[in-house]
Amino acid sequence: MSEDQLPPPPQADWAYFLDFDGTLVDIAPRPEAIRVSDGLPERLSAFSLAADGALAVVTGRSLADLDRHLALPQVAAAGVHGLELRGGSRPDVPDRAPVKQALTKVRAAAEQLAALHVDLRIEDKGEAIAVHYRAAPDLGPEVARTLAVAVAEAGDLLTLLQGKMVVEVKPAVANKGAAVEAFLEDAPFAGRRPCFIGDDVTDEDGFRVCNARGGISIHVGPPGAVTEARYRLASPAAVHDWLAQLLDRERRTAS
């Protein structure tokens, strides 16, 4: 990635896939403590209309959690890294019973950690489990080691992700790239140039899918990140400004 290469202006005929935490909102010490900026839901709704509905929020949060913050049930979305989909074809997912059984051991390991370290926070998404250690950064290696043992016992059913002050365990079949592929199978996303915007390791699968399809991949954050994204925006505020370019053009054209 060129560290200082800004993306081209957004176009109405692209398909947009936006991460949530760290991309549309600033990361907070706890997932429930994020602040949605004034007017963001309205701007996203307007942007979706400008793109003829080809906008989806693709997040590790559950859809129920996402809706509590954005309240945009009419906008397409993928939750829990694509295990939950609204507005697209669901990816093929094998029998979930073994995965859920394997997650019980991960859940037990996470709860034991939280009992020992009160600064850890468990985010149980039902079909994925995240342990946040932002309040205790030194515990990151211990959290990763402990959960890695439980993941190893599950064979190839689960995978472990290390993000920004969080370690997450999810089904191996679930990733944001697969969610993007599923959306691109159907209208209004099909046939459009895909654009994925994200800030963390879980977004790399989305970048890879967009790159393979000749699309736009945008990493959010300071320069120097190791990423497959081809462009960069500095912050969620910069993402908002970039998206606003399309709305501004639409308003000028209409006036």
Side-chain angles (χ1 to χ4, degrees):
M1 179 186 74
S2 176
E3 292 182 352
D4 296 315
Q5 189 168 356
L6 294 174
Q11 303 298 315
D13 59 352
W14 291 355
Y16 294 89
F17 305 99
L18 311 179
D19 173 47
F20 185 59
D21 293 88
T23 297
L24 291 175
V25 297
D26 290 313
I27 291 177
R30 302 179 312 282
E32 68 274 14
I34 59 161
R35 180 182 178 276
V36 176
S37 61
D38 293 341
L40 176 60
E42 290 78 9
R43 287 194 296 272
L44 288 177
S45 181
F47 191 94
S48 179
L49 288 173
D52 293 324
L55 176 142
V57 179
V58 183
T59 176
R61 291 176 182 258
S62 68
L63 290 184
D65 189 17
L66 179 70
D67 287 344
R68 280 193 289 271
H69 294 287
L70 283 182
L72 290 174
Q74 76 278 17
V75 172
V80 196
H81 307 283
L83 282 177
E84 301 175 343
L85 243 67
R86 178 172 67 215
S89 297
R90 189 179 187 85
D92 291 333
V93 178
D95 181 12
R96 296 188 182 191
V99 173
K100 291 180 179 180
Q101 180 61 34
L103 278 171
T104 60
K105 296 182 179 180
V106 175
R107 187 174 289 108
E111 290 173 349
Q112 288 176 358
L113 277 172
L116 291 172
H117 306 289
V118 295
D119 287 330
L120 296 179
R121 185 191 179 282
I122 299 174
E123 183 184 7
D124 193 336
K125 306 174 186 180
E127 295 190 76
I129 296 169
V131 179
H132 299 264
Y133 56 90
R134 188 168 294 274
D138 292 344
L139 293 177
E142 181 180 352
V143 172
R145 284 194 303 269
T146 301
L147 296 187
V149 170
V151 168
E153 292 177 357
D156 60 356
L157 292 175
L158 303 176
T159 189
L160 183 143
L161 295 172
Q162 297 192 56
K164 294 178 178 178
M165 297 295 179
V166 61
V167 180
E168 183 165 2
V169 177
K170 65 177 185 63
V173 296
N175 69 74
K176 293 183 177 182
V180 170
E181 293 277 17
F183 280 120
L184 290 171
E185 289 295 315
D186 293 326
F189 300 93
R192 289 170 171 252
R193 189 180 192 188
C195 173
F196 194 102
I197 310 178
D199 74 304
D200 209 346
V201 293
T202 60
D203 301 309
E204 293 296 321
D205 292 312
F207 296 151
R208 281 187 281 272
V209 168
C210 286
N211 291 343
R213 289 173 172 258
I216 304 294
S217 51
I218 304 172
H219 183 266
V220 182
V226 178
T227 176
E228 295 195 34
R230 294 172 176 169
Y231 301 97
R232 183 178 71 85
L233 290 169
S235 65
V239 173
H240 298 177
D241 290 343
W242 184 79
L243 294 172
Q245 294 179 57
L246 177 59
L247 297 178
D248 290 343
R249 286 203 309 273
E250 293 282 318
R251 282 193 289 267
R252 288 196 298 270
T253 300
S255 63

